[in-house]
Amino acid sequence: MCGRYALTLPHDAMAQAFAAKPANDLPDIPNYNVCPTVQVPVVVAGRRLVSMRWGFLPHWYDTPTDGPLIINARAETIAEKPAFRAAVRERRCLVPATGFYEWTKGSDGARLPWYFHPVEVEMLVFAGIWQDWGADRVPTCAIVSCAAGPTMAEIHHREPVTLDPADWGLWLGEEGTGAAPLMRAAPEGRIARYRVAPTVNSNRATGPELIDPLIED
């Protein structure tokens, strides 16, 4: 799964990486503690870099709090779930990240955060889905998750689906159909991890020190 992530690449660097046209209302970057319900930059078909609310809102929600907060969509059931099945067919997106966080529990029950980051490249790209919600057509998105691969499994049983650059066009629907096989765990060697300080446990925490490796006594 993915419940928090970091994004530090400037807007122009992301636009260049995706060959995308950036919108004028993109959220402030860097953000070392991207939390659910905030605005995040995503790439949609037509190679536009736009801002969306992280927290997918099904069309039957009358208010954003009418049901569970949906930040992830399970790959195994995404095509059947009423909330997601139209979006995964017609409205897929790319969600850039510098890295993401996950937690284990210490012997005393304390939440111990880990930071997962790409190996040899600057950016991870999550598979996402999106849809507009409400009379004002508020764009909202969720990150697709799958069963954890080797790097992630010791920490958590789920992980966000990450995409190679060669697969971006297929996920966006620019290169025909057949994107379902892309919803899989990252191959070994794509992502690495290390412990970080528990400061990030607070959703109000900010600053680059959140992704500094933890030096324990």
Side-chain angles (χ1 to χ4, degrees):
M1 64 175 297
C2 182
R4 298 264 200 92
Y5 67 93
L7 180 59
T8 63
L9 289 174
H11 297 147
D12 58 350
M14 287 189 286
Q16 183 175 3
F18 292 110
K21 181 178 180 180
N24 295 324
D25 61 346
L26 294 173
D28 292 339
I29 301 293
N31 187 343
Y32 294 88
N33 196 4
V34 179
C35 300
T37 76
V38 304
Q39 294 295 120
V40 297
V42 306
V43 177
V44 296
R47 296 298 173 116
R48 295 178 294 122
L49 181 65
V50 300
S51 179
M52 291 190 184
R53 176 192 189 269
W54 182 24
F56 189 96
L57 295 174
H59 65 83
W60 58 82
Y61 279 24
D62 291 327
T63 73
T65 57
D66 264 8
L69 176 62
I70 303 173
I71 59 173
N72 298 136
R74 294 175 67 93
E76 297 87 343
T77 56
I78 196 171
E80 289 80 37
K81 290 281 187 180
F84 307 136
R85 60 192 178 200
V88 76
R89 288 195 309 267
E90 304 163 9
R91 295 183 299 277
R92 298 192 294 266
C93 61
L94 307 174
V95 184
T98 309
F100 64 95
Y101 303 96
E102 194 50 76
W103 283 261
T104 53
K105 280 191 177 181
S107 57
D108 59 354
R111 298 181 75 223
L112 308 177
W114 295 77
Y115 184 63
F116 291 79
H117 61 94
V119 176
E120 297 183 349
V121 294
E122 291 186 298
M123 178 175 63
L124 293 172
V125 177
F126 302 142
I129 58 173
W130 71 275
Q131 75 171 23
D132 290 334
W133 172 81
D136 294 331
R137 302 189 62 79
V138 176
T140 71
C141 66
I143 293 168
V144 181
S145 73
C146 64
T151 305
M152 189 76 189
E154 293 179 359
I155 307 299
H156 198 275
H157 66 286
R158 306 288 297 176
E159 69 174 77
V161 172
T162 54
L163 300 171
D164 282 325
D167 296 326
W168 294 350
L170 181 57
W171 184 255
L172 289 176
E174 299 169 348
E175 299 173 6
T177 59
L182 302 180
M183 294 188 286
R184 61 185 184 273
E188 196 160 3
R190 177 183 289 172
I191 301 173
R193 72 183 190 228
Y194 56 80
R195 278 285 313 282
V196 293
T199 312
V200 75
N201 292 356
S202 169
N203 59 14
R204 297 181 180 179
T206 60
E209 68 277 3
L210 296 182
I211 64 171
D212 288 344
L214 179 64
I215 301 175
E216 300 183 277
D217 297 332

